[in-house]
């Protein structure tokens, strides 16, 4: 199953990150490369370099590193020439043990998990700021359907986990409901942040 393919219910294929692959992912450019391949489809190292304002030498090196950890692969349908085409292997990544990684006795694993989370948070902020700066370019239906909310409530760790899982289930229930090419459709990004903060 490739990056653009999904199951019969529209669910994207997911790659569960372990300690080894976490080390391979924990680099800002690698995360940006993987995101670009998932969002825009297969590309060459030079094409990605232009998109991300990086050197083709850097993108080529980090693509090979991502491939060695199973995140990207050659695209045989396009690799017919001197340039090598790459595609994402999975539609997304999942961390079943992120809390364990953050508390791992190995500082390299803790650092890698921290780097991945901070890069994700940075990307979320960039995407949101891009949306806020371009809302005038979108039809009023899309502006009306967008949402920027935050909530504060007193919870236990168990209830916070239950809430996050229910939100995930709700979001996942919308996968595959809109066929490719549907008029008026657009890719929608939904960010979920659940975290405690001091009361004072």
């Amino acid at each position: 199953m490739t990056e653009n393919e999904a199951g019969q219910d529209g669910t994207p294929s997911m790659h569960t990150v372990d300690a080894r692959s976490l080390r391979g992912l924990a680099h800002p450019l690698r995360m940006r490369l993987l995101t670009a391949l998932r969002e825009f489809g297969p590309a060459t190292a030079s094409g990605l370099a232009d998109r991300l304002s990086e050197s083709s030498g850097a993108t080529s090196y980090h693509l090979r590193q991502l491939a060695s950890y199973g995140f990207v692969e050659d695209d045989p349908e396009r690799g017919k020439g001197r340039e090598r085409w790459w595609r994402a292997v999975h539609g997304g990544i999942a961390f079943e043990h992120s809390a364990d990684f953050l508390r791992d006795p190995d500082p390299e694993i803790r650092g890698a998990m921290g780097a991945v989370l901070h890069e994700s948070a940075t990307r979320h902020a960039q995407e949101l700021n891009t949306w806020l700066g371009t809302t005038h370019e979108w039809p009023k239906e899309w502006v009306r359907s967008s949402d920027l909310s935050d909530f504060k409530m007193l919870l236990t760790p168990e209830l916070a986990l239950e809430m996050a899982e229910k939100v995930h289930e709700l979001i996942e229930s919308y996968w595959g409901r809109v066929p490719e090419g549907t008029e008026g459709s657009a890719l929608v990004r939904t960010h979920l942040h659940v975290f405690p903060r001091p009361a004072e």
Side-chain angles (χ1 to χ4, degrees), residues 2 17 24 59 77 83 103-105 124 126 139 141 150 185 190 198:
T2 67
V17 175
T59 56
E77 296 176 5
E83 283 204 291
R103 298 175 69 86
D104 196 278
H124 290 182
Q126 289 171 341
E141 293 82 7
D150 64 274
S185 66
T190 303

Side-chain angles (χ1 to χ4, degrees), residues 35-115:
T35 298
L37 288 173
R38 287 189 180 132
E39 188 162 343
F40 302 108
T44 63
S46 58
L48 288 164
D50 290 342
R51 178 179 292 280
L52 301 178
S53 300
E54 296 283 347
S55 72
S56 57
T59 56
S60 179
Y61 170 78
H62 287 293
L63 283 164
R64 291 194 303 273
Q65 291 299 305
L66 284 169
S68 71
Y69 288 96
F71 291 105
V72 304
E73 64 186 3
D74 286 311
D75 186 348
E77 296 176 5
R78 293 176 174 84
K80 298 184 174 82
R82 294 187 61 192
E83 283 204 291
R84 189 175 186 181
W85 283 75
W86 298 92
R87 65 182 180 190
V89 176
H90 307 93
I93 57 176
F95 295 89
E96 289 187 359
H97 306 291
S98 59
D100 293 340
F101 291 150
L102 287 168
R103 298 175 69 86
D104 196 278
D106 185 343
E108 185 179 342
I109 293 177
R110 293 197 307 272
M113 189 72 235

Side-chain angles (χ1 to χ4, degrees), residues 126-194:
Q126 289 171 341
E127 289 175 348
L128 182 56
N129 286 328
T130 298
W131 159 248
L132 293 175
T134 59
T135 51
H136 64 283
E137 300 173 6
W138 288 83
K140 63 180 179 181
E141 293 82 7
W142 274 114
V143 178
R144 189 167 57 239
S145 68
S146 67
D147 183 58
L148 177 58
S149 300
D150 64 274
F151 306 91
K152 179 179 73 174
M153 64 193 76
L154 193 64
L155 296 174
T156 63
E158 294 77 16
L159 285 175
L161 177 60
E162 177 185 313
M163 181 181 68
E165 289 175 342
K166 286 184 176 180
V167 174
H168 276 258
E169 289 173 10
L170 176 62
I171 293 169
E172 290 164 10
S173 73
Y174 284 83
W175 276 334
R177 289 179 59 173
V178 178
E180 281 285 334
T182 299
E183 186 176 351
S185 66
L187 288 174
V188 171
R189 293 287 281 154
T190 303
H191 302 156
L192 174 62
H193 307 143
V194 178

